[in-house]
């Protein structure tokens, strides 16, 4: 075996897998540019680190199960009058995620709620957070079948492990009592250990009607709206709000 092949095998056994693929290039480059030993070692380490980060990012993107790849860069604020560039930047810096705030994105269909949620999710992944995207319908289904199917169990484990859970299209369909209960249990578990992004075309005060149980609704809202940023798309306000003002808000769909 050539020395180079042996070196590559050694690198693989030491788990420098990414570098082992590129070591010939790295050596050639160093010889051509006549770099110092320190610089050479540095480039080796840097390459390994970058490749690992890249792989990790790809893995996390796959885990997140986004329905489509929509970035914040593709989100046009001039299209969205109700959100300024500055506000979008505030959202993208993810301080709210660091502080475990939840985010509620409200507005009628088509205004970019899902796009914004995915964009923020991708941004969070690029900063090393674990993110998962799930529609409300799929979430309820997963919760109901957790005991029965491995797929649901895996999905829910990832949800419980995530730093950011995006629940899309909240209250799209009315839930029955049992569904509302298991949903509340999950929110209760996630509370204070992760951030949640909810998108909905109904204002929080209307969620109660869809859940059909005022006690559970109040309990869920209490958890979600405890520390929250509400973003109205196509509305006229974007502010930090407390629970009392949220309840006073008009429906976003009119
Ligand atoms: P919603 O979830 O509010 O119903 P979506 O996020 O699905 O809306 O947006 C509908 C389509 O319009 C998507 O393809 C999305 O990428 C696009 N879109 C909406 N708002 C914007 C925006 N401000 N900039 C760029 N694309 C947008
Ligand atoms: Mg949507």
């Amino acid at each position: 075996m050539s020395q180079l092949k042996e070196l590559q095998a050694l690198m693989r056994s030491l788990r420098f897998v990414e570098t082992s693929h590129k070591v010939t290039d790295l050596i050639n480059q160093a010889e051509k540019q006549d770099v110092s030993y320190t610089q050479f070692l540095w480039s080796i380490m840097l390459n390994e680190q970058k490749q690992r980060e890249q792989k990790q990012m790809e893995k996390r993107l796959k885990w997140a199960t986004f329905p489509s790849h929509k970035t914040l860069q593709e989100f046009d604020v001039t299209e969205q009058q109700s959100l300024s560039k500055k506000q979008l930047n505030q959202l993208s810096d993810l301080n709210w995620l660091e502080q475990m705030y939840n985010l509620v994105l409200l507005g009628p269909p088509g205004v970019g709620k899902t796009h914004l949620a995915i964009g923020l999710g991708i941004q969070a992944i690029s900063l090393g957070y674990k993110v998962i995207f799930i529609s409300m319908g799929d979430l309820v289904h997963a919760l109901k079948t957790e005991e029965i199917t491995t797929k649901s169990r895996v999905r829910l484990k990832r949800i419980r492990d995530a730093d950011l859970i995006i629940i899309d299209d909240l209250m799209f369909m009315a839930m029955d009592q049992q569904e509302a209960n298991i949903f509340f249990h999950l929110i209760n578990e996630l509370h204070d250990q992760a951030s949640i992004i909810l998108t909905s075309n109904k204002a929080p005060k209307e969620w109660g009607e869809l859940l059909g149980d005022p006690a559970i609704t109040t309990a869920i809202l209490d958890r979600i709206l405890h520390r929250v940023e509400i973003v109205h798309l196509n509305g006229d306000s974007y502010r930090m709000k407390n629970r009392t003002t949220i309840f006073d808000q008009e429906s976003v769909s009119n």
Side-chain angles (χ1 to χ4, degrees):
M1 212 196 285
S2 75
Q3 201 176 15
L4 189 61
K5 285 248 152 54
E6 277 183 51
L7 176 64
Q8 283 173 314
L10 186 60
M11 281 178 157
R12 277 196 300 276
S13 78
L14 290 171
R15 301 193 187 287
F16 268 62
V17 179
E18 308 305 329
T19 303
S20 77
H21 299 314
K22 284 207 178 156
V23 71
T24 324
D25 286 347
L26 289 166
I27 292 173
N28 286 342
Q29 226 173 39
E31 279 173 349
K32 229 182 271 164
Q33 292 166 358
D34 199 17
V35 300
S36 71
Y37 294 125
T38 313
Q39 275 173 320
F40 179 58
L41 258 182
W42 178 261
S43 72
I44 293 275
M45 296 299 164
L46 202 63
N47 176 68
E48 183 66 26
Q49 189 201 34
K50 278 207 175 130
Q51 298 294 324
R52 281 185 195 186
E53 276 173 4
Q54 177 72 21
K55 281 220 146 161
Q56 181 80 326
M57 169 106 186
E58 280 164 20
K59 198 161 108 187
R60 289 194 166 168
L61 276 175
K62 209 173 136 209
W63 275 15
T65 60
F66 294 121
S68 55
H69 194 91
K70 303 263 179 187
T71 64
L72 290 178
Q73 290 70 36
E74 289 160 350
F75 193 81
D76 187 356
V77 271
T78 55
E79 283 292 309
Q80 184 43 256
Q81 305 285 320
S82 50
L83 193 69
S84 73
K85 184 82 198 145
K86 186 176 161 216
Q87 289 161 338
L88 183 65
N89 286 340
Q90 276 173 354
L91 287 180
S92 350
D93 70 20
L94 301 188
N95 279 338
W96 55 274
L97 177 53
E98 195 50 46
Q99 294 165 28
M100 269 193 247
Y101 267 69
N102 298 321
L103 203 62
V104 175
L105 308 180
L106 299 174
V111 291
K113 301 182 296 296
T114 303
H115 184 144
L116 189 55
I118 296 172
L120 290 167
I122 292 174
Q123 171 83 348
I125 289 176
S126 74
L127 294 179
Y129 292 101
K130 283 180 277 179
V131 179
I132 190 141
F133 181 104
I134 191 163
S135 72
M136 182 73 185
D138 286 353
L139 177 60
V140 170
H141 175 77
L143 285 166
K144 283 172 87 174
T145 55
E146 187 175 8
E147 307 295 324
I148 316 163
T149 75
T150 314
K151 194 173 168 225
S152 296
R153 213 157 30 240
V154 169
R155 202 114 195 248
L156 282 161
K157 188 181 178 315
R158 286 184 185 163
I159 287 176
R160 292 189 178 102
D161 277 351
D163 304 300
L164 172 64
I165 301 103
I166 301 170
I167 306 175
D168 198 33
D169 272 331
L170 191 75
M171 312 310 166
F172 188 66
M173 71 319 176
M175 288 195 278
D176 65 29
Q177 183 85 31
Q178 183 220 356
E179 293 168 339
N181 258 307
I182 48 176
F183 179 64
F184 173 62
H185 273 282
L186 180 75
I187 296 293
N188 212 19
E189 273 180 73
L190 300 177
H191 179 63
D192 270 342
Q193 66 172 42
S195 284
I196 303 171
I197 296 182
L198 294 176
T199 76
S200 183
N201 56 12
K202 296 263 191 286
K205 73 168 186 180
E206 291 173 79
W207 295 353
E209 295 160 28
L210 291 151
L211 271 172
D213 183 324
I216 292 181
T217 310
T218 309
I220 293 176
L221 287 179
D222 231 42
R223 292 286 188 273
I224 293 174
L225 306 178
H226 175 53
R227 284 198 307 270
V228 73
E229 296 242 20
I230 308 268
V231 180
H232 284 261
L233 294 177
N234 249 15
D236 50 9
S237 68
Y238 165 94
R239 268 169 284 153
M240 192 94 84
K241 292 187 193 282
N242 61 39
R243 218 193 107 187
T244 354
T245 52
I246 290 158
F247 276 116
D248 291 336
Q249 264 154 35
E250 290 305 311
S251 163
V252 290
S253 46
N254 56 28

